[in-house]
Amino acid sequence: MPSAVCSRSFTARAAAVVAAVALALTACSTRPANSTAAAISGQPASPAFPVTIKNVFGETTIEEQPTRVVTVSWVNDDVALALGVVPVGVPKNEWGGNDHGSTPWKDAALEKLGAGFGTSKAPAQFSEADGINFTEIAKLNPDVILGAYSGLTEEGYKKLSEIAPVIAQPEVAYGTPWQESTSIIGKALGKEAEASKLVADTEATIKEKVSEYPQLTDKTFIYGNLEPAKSDGINVYTANDNRPRFLSSIGMKLAPVVAQNSAGSKEFFIPWSAEKANELASDVFVTWVPDAKTADGIKADPLLGQIPAIKNGALVADSNNTLTLSISASSPLSLPWSLDTFLPQLGAAADAAAAAQ
């Protein structure tokens, strides 16, 4: 990935959130008394409310079923759309997105709901390039702000809470599994049953696709970031990150060297010296590269090239930002979209690993 997102495609955003500017929100929490956006229009009120949802900073109570939904970070808008709810505002996908600041799976979901970008029912978009966009979010008069998958700081959480009830990450920043994000958001929107079905259906789709690649079962993997032109070595993702979680969920196994060196850690990655690259033993190594030239540079690098999986030709190094985003910020919409491209790459690497044994 670009250096700004070196250890994770979310690092730039996490840093930006920490540096979020102070805003005067004295008038931001006022909403029209009869606000009725198209988010969940036409649906009867859910008897599930009020609901209280715990998060890393405490808990949030939602008194009534939301009708004006705004999302922050990645994933949360995907989940809302997958549950049939069109947010009134969403962040632009400024990394891995298309010309609309969106993604193929989000565009498809919006079109299905009659709210494609460019239409009157489309969500408003705002930039998060410099952190949480408090001003634009406040303008949208939300009655809930979804950030179940996010890196909200306590300061940011408190500022957003002056605008509307906030659903923040339950524990680790950018570490909420997509299943848990879906469950949390389903509860917040009064759609718990639909969320449970969505998780089950998505997992069934993944299982069906993965069954076509039996060679992946029990293959060990490392998912990391390799930049031969940089001097900052290697960043290896831990079991707290959604990328290794996805590979583990399809029957592969996190390499013991990573599991042992990250035991007890709440971080999503651990730094690894390039001088010890040869110790990163696994069947398959997965990374992202900006272009094929970089992949060739990794293989030719005197240190990175000593990673066992790379020596054995079992390197998965895709340069498609959108594909990387679909796995990094995995959701019930992004994962099914990614499978037909990502699984063949993993299968080929697993075949190479088996051939080298």
Side-chain angles (χ1 to χ4, degrees), residues 73-99:
S73 188
W74 294 280
V75 176
N76 305 289
D77 51 356
D78 286 3
V79 174
L81 290 170
L83 291 172
V85 174
V86 179
V88 295
V90 299
K92 293 179 181 178
N93 286 93
E94 293 173 282
W95 193 91
N98 55 29
D99 292 341

Side-chain angles (χ1 to χ4, degrees), residues 10-357:
F10 321 128
T11 303
R13 181 169 301 175
V17 168
V18 172
V21 296
L23 291 174
L25 297 172
T26 53
C28 292
S29 60
T30 303
R31 294 183 294 281
N34 297 313
S35 139
T36 54
I40 317 179
S41 60
Q43 296 186 13
S46 170
F49 292 86
V51 297
T52 298
I53 300 174
K54 293 183 179 179
N55 61 62
V56 69
F57 307 116
E59 58 183 32
T60 296
T61 297
I62 304 172
E63 298 293 343
E64 298 177 350
Q65 187 168 24
T67 59
R68 294 187 65 82
V69 177
V70 169
T71 68
V72 297
S73 188
W74 294 280
V75 176
N76 305 289
D77 51 356
D78 286 3
V79 174
L81 290 170
L83 291 172
V85 174
V86 179
V88 295
V90 299
K92 293 179 181 178
N93 286 93
E94 293 173 282
W95 193 91
N98 55 29
D99 292 341
H100 301 293
S102 182
T103 59
W105 55 89
K106 191 185 304 181
D107 288 343
L110 284 168
E111 291 291 341
K112 184 177 179 181
L113 294 169
F117 288 118
T119 69
S120 61
K121 294 182 179 180
Q125 290 177 290
F126 49 85
S127 173
E128 288 188 332
D130 295 320
I132 301 298
N133 200 325
F134 300 100
T135 301
E136 294 303 314
I137 291 172
K139 288 178 182 177
L140 294 167
N141 293 316
D143 44 29
V144 72
I145 299 168
L146 302 179
Y149 178 89
S150 70
L152 285 175
T153 63
E154 187 167 12
E155 179 187 7
Y157 171 75
K158 288 179 178 178
K159 289 178 181 177
L160 285 176
S161 296
E162 294 183 42
I163 302 172
V166 180
I167 305 304
Q169 69 269 24
E171 189 175 358
V172 179
Y174 298 113
T176 313
W178 68 266
Q179 295 95 328
E180 188 174 2
S181 295
T182 302
S183 176
I184 291 170
I185 291 172
K187 184 176 182 179
L189 298 179
K191 290 178 167 283
E192 285 190 270
E194 293 94 327
S196 294
K197 184 177 186 302
L198 177 60
V199 169
D201 289 350
T202 304
E203 289 181 334
T205 297
I206 294 170
K207 184 177 181 181
E208 179 182 1
K209 291 286 187 179
V210 171
S211 68
E212 300 173 18
Y213 298 90
Q215 68 268 46
L216 297 178
T217 302
D218 292 334
K219 285 291 188 295
T220 59
F221 72 87
I222 294 174
Y223 208 132
N225 186 62
L226 306 172
E227 295 190 58
K230 302 285 183 181
S231 59
D232 52 359
I234 303 164
N235 292 315
V236 176
Y237 302 118
T238 72
N240 296 322
D241 186 87
N242 277 340
R243 284 161 282 201
R245 277 203 190 107
F246 174 70
L247 296 183
S248 295
S249 76
I250 64 174
M252 300 181 74
K253 293 184 177 179
L254 184 64
V257 65
V258 178
Q260 292 163 9
N261 282 277
S262 62
S265 172
K266 293 198 178 208
E267 299 298 326
F268 62 83
F269 77 97
I270 55 174
W272 195 271
S273 170
E275 282 71 21
K276 298 193 298 179
N278 64 310
E279 298 176 17
L280 289 173
S282 66
D283 293 316
V284 175
F285 196 106
V286 185
T287 190
W288 176 92
V289 291
D291 48 46
K293 182 179 179 181
T294 302
D296 292 338
I298 290 171
K299 296 171 187 176
D301 188 273
L303 296 177
L304 301 183
Q306 296 305 305
I307 294 173
I310 294 176
K311 290 180 70 174
N312 293 334
L315 172 67
V316 176
D318 193 87
S319 60
N320 184 327
N321 289 8
T322 305
L323 179 62
T324 298
L325 179 67
S326 71
I327 303 297
S328 301
S330 51
S331 77
L333 294 182
S334 72
L335 286 176
W337 178 89
S338 72
L339 297 176
D340 289 338
T341 301
F342 191 48
L343 289 178
Q345 295 178 0
L346 288 174
D351 289 339
Q357 292 178 349

